[in-house]
Amino acid sequence: MKNIERLANVALLGLSLAPLVVNVDPNVNVIVTACLTVFVGCYRSVKPTPPSETMSNEHAMRFPLVGSAMLLSLFLLFKFLSKDLVNAVLTCYFFVLGIAALSATLLPAIRRFLPKKWNDDLIIWHFPYFRSLEIEFTRSQIVAAIPGTIFCVWYAKQKHWLANNVLGLAFCIQGIEMLSLGSFKTGAILLAGLFVYDIFWVFFTPVMVSVAKSFDAPIKLLFPTADAKRPFSMLGLGDIVIPGIFVALALRFDVSRGKGPQYFKSAFLGYTFGLALTIFVMNWFQAAQPALLYIVPAVIGFLAVHCIWNGDVKPLLEFDEGKTKGAEEADAKESKKVE
């Protein structure tokens, strides 16, 4: 982990805890927290092999439709079923998911202090009565799961905004770290689709805002305010993860060329500008805003202008992590055959 990554992690932790002891302007808190989360997730995504989950063009086209179906389903559940019942079921789901996300987020820091054998040796556990089902894990992952479990128990009992935010940040970091758009073309398709999705569900229906207020789960970050009528400002995790995986792709593109974070800087600057513009417009009109309405054009626009200025349009459009990953696997198989 580089010094700049450590600094970003410390800053993110400090900013998350700061509202407990001092008054932090929620607008500044939203922007800085989201940007630090994207920054940390992007640098964690840079690995010898591309992220394990790669999205295709077809998946990117379907994603807004699937997201719309899920959003509408949640809206109907809250409308026709007890809100407490729905949130109880979702709490159980996010309890398990939260342990996994927190453990994976903490693992790189924890494993540095553990024996190498604990990090490398795999333990295979078979499910009783279903011997074909198995789980692989290391002792380091078990150690990392202990604080994750304790924290999730606290969240389930108290539903404190800090617990909500820590779980939300873990989900965001893991999402940016583990997901790959594969190529900038796929990224542009996904962002364009979600651009329309966000505008429709926020401006033309009450669904998005209603679900966000009813959903008592870490699908959003909460930022304390001094307004008793509106105690928290909210930012959906999708407004961090979706643009974040695009910004992370720009960073891995820079790394693949053996250069410094050139296009990452422009994409990250676009994200910061788009989020700041969202907050400005929200305060100006005193109404909820679809963040992707401002973030998507800013991220793609800043990156496109920088790319055109440098004359790197063709290499950027031809970049495909899926093909790179496939080529590496093919080379590995070929070398085994030769041996």
Side-chain angles (χ1 to χ4, degrees), residues 126-178:
H126 294 272
F127 281 83
Y129 308 109
F130 299 95
R131 305 296 294 176
S132 58
L133 297 176
E134 61 183 35
I135 299 177
E136 294 183 352
F137 54 89
T138 63
R139 292 181 180 88
S140 298
Q141 288 174 319
I142 296 175
V143 174
I146 295 172
T149 303
I150 294 171
F151 199 90
C152 287
V153 169
W154 177 48
Y155 165 75
K157 285 187 174 182
Q158 301 295 329
K159 293 295 182 74
H160 194 276
W161 64 264
L162 177 59
N164 174 89
N165 284 6
V166 171
L167 287 176
L169 292 173
F171 291 144
C172 288
I173 291 171
Q174 286 304 302
I176 297 171
E177 178 182 355
M178 301 303 296

Side-chain angles (χ1 to χ4, degrees), residues 78-318:
F78 282 117
K79 188 175 181 64
F80 295 108
L81 296 179
S82 167
K83 186 185 295 186
D84 292 336
L85 174 63
V86 176
N87 279 316
V89 173
L90 292 172
T91 296
C92 295
Y93 173 73
F94 280 99
F95 180 85
V96 177
L97 204 62
I99 293 174
L102 270 176
S103 303
T105 304
L106 294 172
L107 185 60
I110 291 176
R111 64 185 300 166
R112 295 166 56 204
F113 303 100
L114 297 176
K116 188 175 185 298
K117 187 176 181 180
W118 285 30
N119 297 327
D120 298 337
D121 291 354
L122 279 177
I123 299 171
I124 302 175
W125 183 76
H126 294 272
F127 281 83
Y129 308 109
F130 299 95
R131 305 296 294 176
S132 58
L133 297 176
E134 61 183 35
I135 299 177
E136 294 183 352
F137 54 89
T138 63
R139 292 181 180 88
S140 298
Q141 288 174 319
I142 296 175
V143 174
I146 295 172
T149 303
I150 294 171
F151 199 90
C152 287
V153 169
W154 177 48
Y155 165 75
K157 285 187 174 182
Q158 301 295 329
K159 293 295 182 74
H160 194 276
W161 64 264
L162 177 59
N164 174 89
N165 284 6
V166 171
L167 287 176
L169 292 173
F171 291 144
C172 288
I173 291 171
Q174 286 304 302
I176 297 171
E177 178 182 355
M178 301 303 296
L179 297 175
S180 171
L181 292 168
S183 68
F184 288 99
K185 293 177 183 177
T186 302
I189 293 171
L190 178 67
L191 291 184
L194 290 175
F195 172 81
V196 176
Y197 160 92
D198 218 20
I199 294 172
F200 175 77
W201 289 112
V202 173
F203 281 155
F204 297 99
T205 75
V207 172
M208 180 80 80
V209 176
S210 176
V211 169
K213 291 180 178 179
S214 302
F215 207 144
D216 189 12
I219 61 162
K220 56 187 180 291
L221 299 183
L222 301 173
F223 302 92
T225 70
D227 187 352
K229 295 181 180 178
R230 192 172 64 96
F232 295 102
S233 289
M234 296 185 297
L235 180 67
L237 301 192
D239 298 327
I240 300 175
V241 176
I242 299 301
I245 56 179
F246 188 86
V247 178
L249 183 66
L251 177 60
R252 295 195 298 275
F253 173 65
D254 289 331
V255 171
S256 71
R257 303 174 77 205
K259 297 184 178 181
Q262 185 179 21
Y263 292 112
F264 165 72
K265 289 180 179 178
S266 56
F268 184 76
L269 182 61
Y271 177 77
T272 305
F273 175 81
L275 186 58
L277 184 59
T278 304
I279 300 300
F280 173 79
V281 175
M282 182 185 70
N283 286 308
W284 182 271
F285 290 104
Q286 290 295 303
Q289 296 294 316
L292 296 182
L293 169 63
Y294 309 98
I295 293 173
V296 168
V299 170
I300 294 179
F302 275 58
L303 180 65
V305 170
H306 191 184
C307 183
I308 293 169
W309 180 269
N310 288 346
D312 284 332
V313 175
K314 187 176 180 182
L316 186 136
L317 292 178
E318 291 178 348

